[in-house]
Amino acid sequence: MTMNRLSAILLFALFTTIALAARDIPRRELLNDGWAFCLNDSNFAEAQSVTLPHDWSIRQRFDREAPAGNDGAYLPTGRGWYRRLINLSADYAGKRVRLYFEGVYMNARVWVNGHEAGGWPYGYSSFWVDATPYVKTGQNEIVVSVDNSQQKNCRWYSGSGIYRNVWLVTTPMTYIDDWSVSITTPDVHTVEIAADVVSPDGRRTPLRRTIHVAEPRLWSPADPYLYHTELATDDGTDRLTLTYGIRTIDYDADGGLRLNGKPLKLNGACLHHDNGIIGAAAPDAAEYRKVRLMKEAGFNALRTSHNPPSEAFLRACDELGMLVIDEAFDGWREAKNSHDYHELIDQWWQRDLEAMVRRDRLHPSIFCWSIGNEVIERKKIEVVRTAHQMATLVRTLDPQRRPVTSALAAWDPEWDIYDPLAAEHDIVGYNYMMHMAEGDHERVPERVMMQTESYPNDAWQNYERTMAHPYIIGDFVWTGLDYIGESGIGRWYYQGDVEGEHYHRPLYPWHAAYCGDVDLTGLRKPISHYRALLWNDDEPIAMAVREPNGYRGEVKTTLWGTWPTFESWTWPGWEGRDITVEVYSRQSPVRLYLDDKLVGEQLAEQMKAVFTLPYQAGTLRAEAGGQQVRLTTAGAPAAIRLTADRTRLTADGQDLAFVTAEVVDGEGNVVPTADDRLTFSVAGAGSLLAAGNADIKDEDPYFDATHRAWKGRALCVVRTSKKQGAIRLTVTSPSLLKATMVIKTDKK
């Protein structure tokens, strides 16, 4: 369908025409509501009304034949069209009007009033569209086409659609270029701000400001203090509010990484960009929750594997205190999948790197830039030139000169062949290769290293090696959170099920990853408590129980997996047979009791004490260093308990609450054997966005209002409307007492 025909389509009640304020025009206005969406073709007469951020793939059913396959969570992709109408008053005449898209996956093309105004192919880059030549007073039409039909183009779940925020940015014709702004601190008492002022004919004039800070409060993960200032043109007609932190970063092989002059080791996690059961959609509340979960799990650093994240994610890292490796690409010129970045690199790598660095360089949380991950051509001499070009561009774009890295890996004995490639980086990323560190240090003593990916099971040895050597600055586990796609990585399975790793063969119905320290419902797994205890002095004692081999079948584990281990003392049918209990503690000795009778006492080796005892129902209690933890056998399922991550939300149509539903017995203990089917209903000032559990084989779609519990837990996501008031969430199941929760919503 042509754009002229699109413009001629009759308006239906489905389309929301937004009249923007005639006075006091805001510089930035969120354009997330009032969109019409249709799948595959541009027949808007049959469109549905959607609110951004929007991922159309997660709103469909799992399909064994979906072209994205294992990588893409067996969810359909395809093409989609979006349409938005806005009314601009006469006050907009003579203004610069731009559209800012934070992320569209992928191959976005944007039309304004029937004119193609811009677009961007790489689905993880933010981009600008200058609508000034095409807008008019009165009604204006924005149409966006999205093409995610060429599969496979990603090794994990990408999602499909306008999955991040969209903004209308209105300025005078002479304006401050948002992405030209940079902030440097020659010393902690001096803040230098630089930007470009763009004239109507495109000429750029430098804008400089210097701020003196007498007693600076330095940003760190422990104290993420932020400063705010306003940058204005000389005539005051355009102004930006800037947020920044003051901190210093130094590193070398002798002293390791130093933040604000103090040595710091990185307990890091890799993260993909999705938000679990809501897919790739990136509402601000979901991005903040993601960082909160990682902070609560004891991490102090995150790697955005393998693409630039949302702006909200980086703001959350700034505000909550999380260091970040900001990563650009998964691959370069040789394909990992048939339609991945190798199709774009020659024409787009400079623009994509520029989009990442210019957008993100104000964030104090970013301590390092990554230009790639396990590139296939890493043994070819040409790769050194590519790395040099990319690293040089990044250093040119970032006046703070943060270090540049990429993640190197080897699947054969040839490792030192990468020395010329490694030399192009300031810090060398090692994927699963930190066992080579001591030898590499002897060969290249000035090299600074970090393990950019590691297996969850290697927590102790990676911690021990990192703490032993100053030239190793940290370890980033794969991964911090379970995620959609890359289906089956990290799974355990039973004899008779489909064998092997996720990359060996299709594994449907597995549709997600189970290698995270935190599962899809936000629950910390035992490995999370153990890892956090290694790296953090204040992590409390924790206890978990290994599933007995043969309890549900003969257990098979995978490379990124751990033995199925749960915070549960409920194992019906295993009475009198041996079962293994793990207690994680920095203190020794560790004492274990069953119903207040001493089972045994052990020293914690590698901060872990392991006990074997015959299983019987009761209360298991572990003690060490004045701390204790309990696990109690659960009774029969009796009721549903609801717990929200937030109980007061903003009535803006964007805010979210993530609500955990637990099946509990009469004493309030979670019943880990419960798999009751739960029905979620929402009334009042909000709606149900998604429901799911942590079972990566469950084929129920996440958009449905019913979902069974897994290990006694499920999760739902509630979104506010623009109406102030209360959201009433009710969760029912035929044999359980229902649960109701009220969440208040307020205007900003």
Side-chain angles (χ1 to χ4, degrees):
M1 181 179 291
T2 66
M3 289 301 100
N4 287 337
R5 185 179 172 192
L6 283 175
S7 300
I9 291 177
L10 294 176
L11 301 182
F12 291 86
L14 175 64
F15 304 142
T16 304
T17 301
I18 307 299
L20 299 178
R23 298 174 183 173
D24 299 324
I25 297 172
R27 194 182 195 276
R28 286 165 57 98
E29 180 147 344
L30 194 61
L31 292 186
N32 279 0
D33 60 353
W35 289 85
F37 168 74
C38 53
L39 191 59
N40 294 325
D41 63 43
S42 53
N43 183 11
F44 285 108
E46 300 176 1
Q48 57 180 297
S49 179
V50 299
T51 298
L52 307 183
H54 178 247
D55 171 11
W56 80 65
S57 290
I58 204 71
R59 308 300 296 174
Q60 300 184 68
R61 295 185 178 276
F62 298 108
D63 180 357
R64 184 190 300 269
E65 304 303 323
N70 251 23
D71 307 68
Y74 296 99
L75 287 167
T77 51
R79 296 180 177 88
W81 292 78
Y82 294 84
R83 186 182 190 231
R84 174 69 143 81
L85 302 176
I86 58 174
N87 272 346
L88 300 182
S89 69
D91 296 289
Y92 284 81
K95 301 288 188 181
R96 174 77 62 183
V97 178
R98 293 175 293 157
L99 298 169
Y100 176 48
F101 292 84
E102 292 191 17
V104 182
Y105 204 89
M106 58 180 298
N107 294 311
R109 299 172 66 189
V110 181
W111 288 266
V112 178
N113 292 329
H115 301 275
E116 187 163 3
W120 206 274
Y122 188 41
Y124 296 114
S125 287
S126 301
F127 64 95
W128 294 83
V129 173
D130 188 355
T132 310
Y134 314 116
V135 294
K136 60 187 178 183
T137 298
Q139 183 173 275
N140 292 265
E141 177 193 65
I142 303 166
V143 172
V144 182
S145 72
V146 185
D147 187 351
N148 193 20
S149 62
Q150 297 298 304
Q151 293 295 328
K152 298 178 180 183
N153 58 48
C154 202
R155 293 189 304 121
W156 55 91
Y157 177 73
S158 66
S160 304
I162 309 179
Y163 69 103
R164 294 179 184 164
N165 296 326
V166 177
W167 299 86
L168 183 74
V169 181
T170 307
T171 63
M173 290 299 290
T174 298
Y175 68 99
I176 301 171
D177 178 358
D178 304 63
W179 283 4
S180 72
V181 182
S182 65
I183 295 178
T184 56
T185 50
D187 58 72
V188 295
H189 298 283
T190 307
V191 177
E192 294 185 349
I193 303 172
D196 289 343
V197 177
V198 183
S199 66
D201 61 3
R203 288 182 294 109
R204 291 177 173 263
T205 303
L207 180 63
R208 302 287 184 266
R209 298 287 186 267
T210 300
I211 301 171
H212 298 284
V213 184
E215 298 181 3
R217 184 170 167 183
L218 303 185
W219 185 97
S220 71
D223 183 21
Y225 187 79
L226 297 172
Y227 289 86
H228 307 276
T229 192
E230 189 175 75
L231 178 67
T233 54
D234 291 338
D235 60 6
T237 57
D238 191 25
R239 55 191 65 233
L240 288 172
T241 299
L242 305 179
T243 300
Y244 61 94
I246 300 174
R247 51 102 180 98
T248 64
I249 295 171
D250 301 287
Y251 55 93
D252 56 54
D254 294 328
L257 178 69
R258 298 175 299 280
L259 182 66
N260 303 324
K262 298 177 181 178
L264 180 67
K265 294 288 189 176
L266 302 176
N267 175 29
C270 299
L271 287 182
H272 275 315
H273 74 295
D274 72 285
N275 281 300
I277 68 173
I278 67 171
D284 288 7
E287 298 292 88
Y288 272 74
R289 173 181 179 265
K290 185 158 51 183
V291 178
R292 280 199 308 273
L293 289 173
M294 295 294 91
K295 189 82 174 179
E296 292 164 0
F299 294 109
N300 63 8
L302 301 173
R303 173 182 174 225
T304 69
S305 315
H306 304 291
N307 49 263
S310 72
E311 289 196 41
F313 176 87
L314 293 174
R315 287 197 303 271
C317 291
D318 292 343
E319 294 172 16
L320 300 178
M322 190 69 75
L323 288 163
V324 176
I325 302 174
D326 198 353
E327 190 157 271
F329 311 120
D330 181 33
W332 293 346
R333 287 190 170 82
E334 289 199 20
K336 295 179 179 179
N337 275 321
S338 55
H339 296 287
D340 64 16
Y341 197 73
H342 79 278
E343 295 187 331
L344 299 174
I345 184 169
D346 286 329
Q347 293 186 13
W348 283 92
W349 72 266
Q350 292 171 295
R351 282 174 282 186
D352 284 319
L353 274 182
E354 184 174 354
M356 179 181 79
V357 177
R358 293 185 71 212
R359 187 197 72 170
D360 295 348
R361 59 191 174 185
L362 299 187
H363 292 280
S365 56
I366 297 173
F367 82 96
C368 189
W369 307 104
S370 173
I371 55 177
N373 173 65
E374 297 179 356
V375 297
I376 297 298
E377 64 267 38
R378 56 192 176 276
K379 287 188 177 182
K380 296 182 177 180
I381 192 63
E382 293 86 355
V383 78
V384 179
R385 180 172 180 268
T386 301
H388 179 79
Q389 289 175 323
M390 289 186 176
T392 299
L393 178 59
V394 169
R395 294 178 186 120
T396 300
L397 293 168
D398 180 18
Q400 291 188 28
R401 291 300 297 266
R402 296 171 179 91
V404 175
T405 191
S406 72
L408 306 185
W411 299 311
D412 56 39
E414 295 181 309
W415 172 248
D416 56 2
I417 194 176
Y418 303 135
D419 281 357
L421 174 58
E424 294 298 332
H425 305 90
D426 304 301
I427 298 174
V428 181
Y430 284 52
N431 278 12
Y432 314 102
M433 297 299 298
M434 199 47 73
H435 57 280
M436 303 296 290
E438 290 90 345
D440 287 1
H441 179 65
E442 291 182 9
R443 189 176 70 256
V444 192
E446 70 277 8
R447 181 181 294 178
V448 181
M449 316 169 190
M450 58 185 169
Q451 186 155 233
T452 35
E453 287 181 29
S454 65
Y455 297 114
N457 255 341
D458 292 343
W460 170 259
Q461 49 264 52
N462 290 328
Y463 165 77
E464 187 177 41
R465 183 173 276 117
T466 301
M467 300 305 290
H469 302 297
Y471 53 85
I472 304 175
I473 66 171
D475 174 54
F476 288 74
V477 69
W478 190 271
T479 57
L481 272 168
D482 285 354
Y483 54 93
I484 307 299
E486 204 166 11
S487 304
I489 184 174
R491 69 181 180 137
W492 81 89
Y493 60 98
Y494 301 108
Q495 182 70 39
D497 212 330
V498 181
E499 299 277 342
E501 298 290 340
H502 63 286
Y503 49 78
H504 286 151
R505 59 187 60 85
L507 289 177
Y508 189 87
W510 276 276
H511 63 268
Y514 199 75
C515 51
D517 275 22
V518 179
D519 75 16
L520 288 173
T521 69
L523 178 69
R524 291 178 65 184
K525 302 174 188 175
I527 187 64
S528 170
H529 294 289
Y530 179 57
R531 189 186 320 282
L533 187 139
L534 296 179
W535 294 86
N536 298 281
D537 294 339
D538 57 352
E539 185 74 9
I541 185 175
M543 178 168 54
V545 180
R546 290 166 61 94
E547 179 179 314
N549 200 10
Y551 185 72
R552 293 182 175 85
E554 184 181 343
V555 175
K556 303 285 187 178
T557 58
T558 53
L559 274 176
W560 284 267
T562 57
W563 191 274
T565 305
F566 308 97
E567 294 178 88
S568 168
W569 191 240
T570 304
W571 301 92
W574 202 254
E575 288 79 7
R577 304 170 71 178
D578 281 352
I579 196 165
T580 300
V581 177
E582 299 180 345
V583 182
Y584 315 127
S585 174
R586 280 182 164 265
Q587 306 297 323
S588 283
V590 177
R591 297 181 180 88
L592 184 69
Y593 300 84
L594 180 59
D595 291 337
D596 295 324
K597 294 180 181 179
L598 182 66
V599 172
E601 177 180 296
Q602 290 190 25
L603 297 178
E605 297 183 7
Q606 300 181 359
M607 300 190 200
K608 181 189 298 184
V610 181
F611 300 84
T612 300
L613 68 157
Y615 172 70
Q616 68 179 56
T619 296
L620 204 62
R621 174 167 53 90
E623 292 182 347
Q627 296 183 333
Q628 62 176 260
V629 61
R630 297 172 184 265
L631 295 174
T632 298
T633 304
I640 301 166
R641 181 171 62 209
L642 301 180
T643 307
D645 68 330
R646 299 162 65 226
T647 56
R648 202 155 200 109
L649 304 179
T650 302
D652 60 358
Q654 292 287 306
D655 211 357
L656 305 177
F658 288 75
V659 183
T660 304
E662 296 172 310
V663 180
V664 297
D665 65 10
E667 302 299 319
N669 301 304
V670 175
V671 184
T673 56
D675 60 358
D676 301 73
R677 182 160 290 278
L678 308 177
T679 298
F680 301 85
S681 62
V682 174
S687 59
L688 180 69
L689 182 61
N693 60 34
D695 181 3
I696 66 171
K697 290 182 71 176
D698 191 334
E699 296 178 78
D700 283 350
Y702 294 129
F703 59 80
D704 208 352
T706 64
H707 223 96
R708 67 178 178 86
W710 187 70
K711 308 293 183 185
R713 279 173 66 95
L715 178 73
C716 75
V717 184
V718 175
R719 181 168 61 194
T720 62
S721 68
K722 290 192 173 183
K723 179 182 178 182
Q724 181 173 330
I727 301 171
R728 188 177 185 86
L729 169 66
T730 303
V731 184
T732 60
S733 189
S735 60
L736 303 174
L737 290 175
K738 72 177 182 180
T740 299
M741 168 176 282
V742 175
I743 300 170
K744 298 290 187 181
T745 70
D746 302 297
K747 292 293 185 182
K748 286 185 179 179

